[in-house]
């Protein structure tokens, strides 16, 4: 269960609880303190934290590397994002990219820039989230960088993974008549953000209000504590299905579908009535007067996987509750199209995350 503490900034300034200034530790003391609980579990990690660079060895496999940068005020708002969740999510968004290559995640590095408004206790929270993610997802934390920032908090994670060359799945392999498949359900993370933003405004007007967010707990959890789909490459391997193309859903279904189509040089028919939605998404869309299809198409931050498979593999996946066939690949001339519930064909648009937020 997620505990929301609104107005985190006020908490940082709380004079009643003791806070340790980062300057009391110095840079090396800080790095030592934050990284002391990390231990190495992978054979491929030859050397982790402590030298000028970490050393890795992947016998026979190929290595995948991916980075994401999260910036306070752009990607997260500390008035409602607990630092522990932020640390966890910063790891998840990177692992999601590794799984989208059909690879196993093995190591991460973590770099942070912090201003002196953050006491040591705040960074301990951030690192508790990072450690929890590393433990659950079985990745070694093998390095990073620590520096100061004049304003907010920046956190950048780099993830490393491995896979057999033949197992790696790119965005460019989709072929005409392949089936388009998505994991889990869509739109919840975006609605979670809408709920949190609304409550933030309520809090500003009445700081003593206690929000009752029980009915939105699934949505808020999807926003604050997303889980990368580590299970999917393993599941597909077990089913003996190798996707022809794959991508993770960070910016919204619509733009990810368009990436697959562009890189594979194909078109797609996406069926509106097949898009998987949680019941809470449907009810909250009604409450917020939003169209649930628009939210699923353009919401983003779901961190589900989107992939294509050959038609002949359909019997292997059809009974699986984690996987939903939402469309099929067409030739390029047909373009990327949404087939609506009214059986109308409309062109998909890659709206992505920011436009919908500004509307
Ligand atoms: P350098 O001067 O070579 O950049 P640092 O003193 O920054 O080395 O880092 C010392 C060691 O601690 C390195 O192994 C580095 O990868 C690791 N490290 C530094 N900052 C972090 C961090 N925020 N999280 C995890 N490891 C870190
Ligand atoms: Mg450094």
């Amino acid at each position: 269960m997620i505990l929301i503490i609104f107005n985190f900034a006020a908490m940082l300034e709380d004079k009643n609880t003791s806070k340790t200034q980062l300057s009391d530790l110095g840079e090396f003391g800080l790095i030592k303190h934050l990284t002391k609980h990390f231990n190495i579990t992978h054979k491929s990690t030859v050397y982790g934290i402590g030298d000028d660079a970490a050393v890795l060895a992947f016998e026979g496999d190929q290595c995948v590397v991916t980075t994401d940068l999260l910036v306070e005020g752009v990607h997260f708002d500390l008035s409602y994002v607990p630092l522990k969740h932020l640390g966890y999510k910063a790891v998840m968004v990177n692992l999601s990219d590794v799984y989208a290559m059909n690879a196993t995640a093995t190591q991460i590095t973590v770099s942070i820039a912090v201003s002196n408004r953050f006491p040591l206790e705040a960074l301990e929270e951030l690192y508790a989230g990072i450690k929890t993610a590393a433990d659950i997802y079985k990745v070694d934390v093998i390095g990073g960088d620590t520096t100061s920032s004049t304003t907010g908090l920046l956190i950048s994670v780099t993830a490393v993974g491995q896979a057999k060359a033949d197992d790696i799945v790119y965005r460019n392999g989709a072929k005409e008549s392949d089936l388009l498949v998505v994991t889990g359900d869509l739109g919840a993370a975006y609605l979670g953000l809408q709920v949190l933003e609304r409550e933030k405004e309520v809090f500003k007007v009445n700081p003593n209000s206690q929000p009752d967010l029980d009915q939105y707990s699934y949505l808020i959890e999807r926003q604050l504590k997303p889980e990368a789909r580590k299970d999917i490459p393993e599941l597909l391997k077990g089913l003996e299905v190798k996707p022809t193309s794959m991508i993770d859903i960070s910016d919204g279904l619509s733009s990810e579908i368009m990436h697959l189509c562009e890189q594979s040089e194909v078109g797609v028919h996406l069926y509106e009535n097949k898009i998987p939605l949680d019941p809470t998404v449907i009810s909250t869309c009604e409450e917020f007067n939003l169209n649930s299809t628009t939210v699923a198409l353009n919401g983003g931050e779901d961190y589900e996987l989107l992939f294509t498979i050959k038609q002949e593999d359909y019997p292997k996946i059809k009974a699986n509750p984690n996987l939903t066939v939402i469309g099929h690949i067409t030739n390029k001339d047909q373009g990327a199209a949404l087939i609506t519930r009214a059986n109308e064909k409309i062109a998909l648009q890659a709206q992505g995350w920011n436009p919908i937020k500004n509307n």
Side-chain angles (χ1 to χ4, degrees), residues 73-219:
V74 179
H75 301 101
F76 57 89
D77 181 339
L78 288 179
S79 62
Y80 53 75
V81 176
L83 280 161
K84 193 169 174 183
H85 288 88
L86 178 65
Y88 192 88
K89 183 167 175 173
V91 178
M92 284 312 120
V93 304
N94 279 276
L95 298 189
S96 180
D97 284 318
V98 173
Y99 304 137
M101 300 303 290
N102 206 30
T104 307
T106 44
Q107 290 89 10
I108 57 170
T109 64
V110 180
S111 298
I112 52 172
V114 274
S115 67
N116 56 14
R117 106 180 201 263
F118 294 87
L120 176 66
E121 288 73 13
L123 295 188
E124 283 175 345
E125 280 293 299
L126 182 75
Y127 268 72
I130 293 167
K131 165 99 174 115
T132 304
D135 287 346
I136 294 174
Y137 283 76
K138 298 196 169 56
V139 293
D140 296 343
V141 181
I142 56 159
D145 201 20
T146 309
T147 190
S148 53
S149 126
T150 48
T151 49
L153 172 69
L154 279 86
I155 173 164
S156 174
V157 174
T158 296
V160 175
Q162 69 184 102
K164 302 239 169 312
D166 282 349
D167 288 341
I168 293 183
V169 176
Y170 295 89
R171 293 178 179 183
N172 64 9
K175 296 276 183 295
E176 198 175 337
S177 88
D178 283 354
L179 300 175
L180 183 68
V181 184
V182 71
T183 65
D185 56 75
L186 301 175
Y190 174 77
L191 289 179
L193 183 66
Q194 300 314 301
V195 171
L196 289 167
E197 290 280 351
R198 182 178 70 180
E199 294 308 323
K200 182 184 172 182
E201 294 311 312
V202 174
F203 180 87
K204 276 188 198 159
V205 179
N206 179 7
N208 296 320
S209 72
Q210 279 289 345
D212 178 10
L213 300 176
D214 269 6
Q215 60 169 308
Y216 307 112
S217 61
Y218 177 66
L219 309 178

Side-chain angles (χ1 to χ4, degrees), residues 8-84:
F8 180 78
M11 199 192 82
L12 284 180
E13 284 153 23
D14 182 1
K15 299 284 186 301
N16 298 323
T17 47
S18 74
K19 296 275 181 279
T20 314
Q21 294 295 307
L22 293 182
S23 51
D24 294 350
L25 284 106
E27 186 190 332
F28 298 114
L30 174 64
I31 294 172
K32 239 190 178 137
H33 183 82
L34 292 178
T35 60
K36 66 184 173 201
H37 298 300
F38 293 131
N39 32 42
I40 299 303
T41 60
H42 283 280
K43 218 177 87 195
S44 56
T45 309
V46 178
Y47 198 91
I49 292 171
D51 214 305
D52 296 311
V55 181
L56 307 178
F58 298 103
E59 290 154 19
D61 280 356
Q62 289 191 340
C63 170
V64 302
V65 183
T66 175
T67 296
D68 272 292
L69 173 63
L70 302 180
V71 178
E72 184 180 353
V74 179
H75 301 101
F76 57 89
D77 181 339
L78 288 179
S79 62
Y80 53 75
V81 176
L83 280 161
K84 193 169 174 183

